[in-house]
Amino acid sequence: MDKRDDHESSLSVEQFGYKQELKRSLSFWDLLVYGLIFMVPIAPMGIYGQVVQTAHGMVVLAYLIGLVGMIFTAFSYFRMSEAFPIAGSAYAYVQRGWNPFIGFLAGWMIMLDYILIPALLYLVSASWLNELLPGVPTWGWVVVFVVINTIINIRGIQMTNRANWVILVIELLTFLAFCIAALIYVASGTAGTHFTFTPVFNPHEFSWAMVGSATSIAVLSFLGFDGISTLAEETRGDRSTVGKATVAALIVVAVLFMVLTYLAAVAYPDYTQFPDPNVAFYFVAERVGGTWLKLLTLVVTVVAWGIANALAAQAAISRLLYSMGRDRMLPAVLSTVHPRYKTPIVSTLVVAVLSIIVTAFLSIDNLSRLVNFGALTTFIALNLTVMIYFLGKRRTGRWGAHFLMPLLGILVLLYVWLNFDALTFYLGGSWFILGVIVLLITTRGLRVKPKDIESV
């Protein structure tokens, strides 16, 4: 990065009333890897049983519809990250593009996603490890994961980035090993298997309600592309870098998801007969490659979720808390930056503590519900913000880019959102009400706005 790029990047932050405090070191490729790690290229391995059974075998269709909904939202993130190249993600975009108070609520809802994702990943990974080493309690594994990730995140985004590259290579090699084994297994016609279109579409089993329910689960695998925008103040280059990486990461990981689940579906077509749906993919891996492949996928999935994905999630939520603390919408201490490593140290430690507490009180099922509800609610608000900001405030007149595309994103997301069950709405609604209460207290009844919020 030359001095000119650094100067322009600093100005793009300072014009919003902030100082450049975080260290700029990330390139487009670093952001792309971060996004892939956050979403986990082998993520479907962890929830394959739930998705394929809910989708009546049409697992690829569920991920395809998830991609359609997310791609429009990814372009909305692209446009808002160019307009407001600051940390805070959807919180900052809705706050400045639409309304400061609605922005707080958007940040509050995405916080539900970001805060709970590390806890969910730790709990799932610990549960899987209990199958291998039942003598170690779940909480013990959780503490190990939290300590490792917190140290890496405090040491700086560059150390996090180096860890991301190593783990991504391991994930992709595991992905490749499974795909080769599955291709050989199906191509040889073992156990009567053959390549078929039914994992993509089966007219005898299709219904929109079924697809909506399956997609509401599958969309969990896509959550994380939005986290790239939280690193805006640690990225070098022009304003389009974050947006390009966001869209690219989503497309790449979606292709990997669909290839992986298609091969799993044709290799193990009797999707209703898994001995344990919670670890269904490992039975698929064992069928096509034997015990070694089953153990490989289990171990790598634990590393990918419990360390890599949770590491990225902790980095994202700490930047969100940093941004909200900087605006005094949450306690200002959350914006404290480590003097040496230039990372939001207090926010990082808070996330670590919350992760341990949450895993002690919430189940995997409830965590999954809350994560999805918080993310999709915020995504809908973000797409609305694109319309309001670009067409209403800036009057760009670009109806295709600033109205039609975010509208399509809203419609797909709303369809999936409405397919959440009653308990999800109850839990998510309770969190929203709590956010309203916090907002009223913080702003003294909506009389005090965050500092220096001006649309540009």
Side-chain angles (χ1 to χ4, degrees), residues 116-127:
L116 296 185
I117 274 186
L120 173 62
L121 298 172
Y122 295 143
L123 200 55
V124 170
S125 300
S127 298

Side-chain angles (χ1 to χ4, degrees), residues 261-278:
T261 54
Y262 175 80
L263 291 174
V266 294
Y268 204 123
D270 46 340
Y271 60 86
T272 62
Q273 303 300 315
F274 293 118
D276 181 359
N278 290 324

Side-chain angles (χ1 to χ4, degrees), residues 45 174-183 260 263-264 281 284-285 288 293:
M45 291 184 181
T174 303
F175 171 91
L176 187 61
F178 172 81
C179 289
I180 292 173
L183 281 170
L260 186 70
L263 291 174
F281 199 91
V284 181
V288 302
L293 187 57

Side-chain angles (χ1 to χ4, degrees), residues 160-430:
T160 302
N161 181 51
R162 286 193 290 269
N164 285 343
W165 277 95
V166 172
I167 296 173
L168 179 62
V169 170
I170 295 173
E171 288 183 44
L172 293 177
L173 289 175
T174 303
F175 171 91
L176 187 61
F178 172 81
C179 289
I180 292 173
L183 281 170
I184 294 173
Y185 183 86
V186 178
S188 63
T190 308
T193 57
H194 61 281
F195 295 106
T196 174
F197 194 67
T198 53
V200 181
F201 184 73
N202 183 354
H204 302 295
E205 297 288 344
F206 178 84
S207 75
W208 284 111
M210 173 273 297
V211 172
S213 297
T215 305
S216 70
I217 301 172
V219 75
L220 177 65
S221 301
F222 288 107
L223 301 186
F225 72 90
D226 52 300
I228 293 174
S229 59
T230 65
L231 303 180
E233 293 180 34
E234 293 160 274
T235 301
R236 63 177 190 260
D238 60 34
R239 293 188 176 202
S240 67
T241 303
V242 169
K244 290 176 180 176
T246 300
V247 174
L250 180 63
I251 293 174
V252 169
V253 84
V255 172
L256 296 177
F257 288 170
M258 287 186 280
V259 170
L260 186 70
T261 54
Y262 175 80
L263 291 174
V266 294
Y268 204 123
D270 46 340
Y271 60 86
T272 62
Q273 303 300 315
F274 293 118
D276 181 359
N278 290 324
V279 288
F281 199 91
Y282 308 121
F283 295 108
V284 181
E286 185 176 36
R287 175 176 287 189
V288 302
T291 302
W292 74 270
L293 187 57
K294 175 183 178 180
L295 292 177
L296 176 66
T297 55
L298 190 151
V299 171
V300 174
T301 301
V302 167
V303 172
W305 281 45
I307 296 181
N309 195 354
L311 184 68
Q314 187 182 39
I317 181 56
S318 63
R319 271 67 179 175
L320 174 60
L321 294 177
Y322 163 81
S323 182
M324 297 179 81
R326 182 173 62 180
D327 289 338
R328 304 300 188 268
M329 296 301 288
L330 288 177
V333 69
L334 292 172
S335 63
T336 302
V337 175
H338 193 286
R340 177 181 177 185
Y341 299 122
K342 301 301 180 184
T343 53
I345 182 171
V346 173
S347 294
T348 302
L349 292 174
V350 166
V351 175
V353 173
L354 285 175
S355 295
I356 294 175
I357 294 173
V358 167
T359 56
F361 292 99
L362 290 178
S363 67
I364 293 174
D365 189 40
N366 288 336
L367 280 171
S368 299
R369 287 188 173 101
L370 288 170
V371 164
N372 287 344
F373 184 88
L376 296 193
T377 302
T378 301
F379 292 166
I380 291 171
L382 178 76
N383 281 298
L384 282 171
T385 301
V386 172
M387 299 179 186
I388 292 168
Y389 177 69
F390 286 103
L391 293 179
K393 295 184 176 182
R394 294 186 57 182
R395 301 186 182 280
T396 62
R398 297 178 59 189
W399 290 91
H402 298 150
F403 178 77
L404 181 60
M405 290 188 68
L407 176 62
L408 290 172
I410 290 172
L411 292 176
V412 177
L413 292 170
L414 192 60
Y415 170 70
V416 178
W417 192 83
L418 291 173
N419 278 281
F420 286 129
D421 58 23
L423 181 59
T424 302
F425 283 109
Y426 174 78
L427 295 173
S430 298

Side-chain angles (χ1 to χ4, degrees), residues 60-142:
V60 178
L61 181 61
Y63 279 102
L64 179 60
I65 293 177
L67 169 63
V68 171
M70 294 297 108
I71 195 66
F72 294 118
T73 302
F75 275 109
S76 290
Y77 268 95
F78 192 153
R79 294 180 179 100
M80 296 308 294
S81 66
E82 284 188 307
F84 304 106
I86 54 179
S89 189
Y91 156 71
Y93 303 152
V94 179
Q95 178 196 63
R96 293 174 177 274
W98 184 354
N99 178 276
F101 305 127
I102 297 176
F104 172 84
L105 292 176
W108 183 261
M109 294 309 293
I110 201 67
M111 194 189 305
L112 190 63
D113 170 13
Y114 288 166
I115 283 182
L116 296 185
I117 274 186
L120 173 62
L121 298 172
Y122 295 143
L123 200 55
V124 170
S125 300
S127 298
W128 290 339
L129 284 173
N130 271 343
E131 296 296 322
L132 292 178
L133 300 170
V136 181
T138 299
W139 65 264
W141 288 117
V142 170

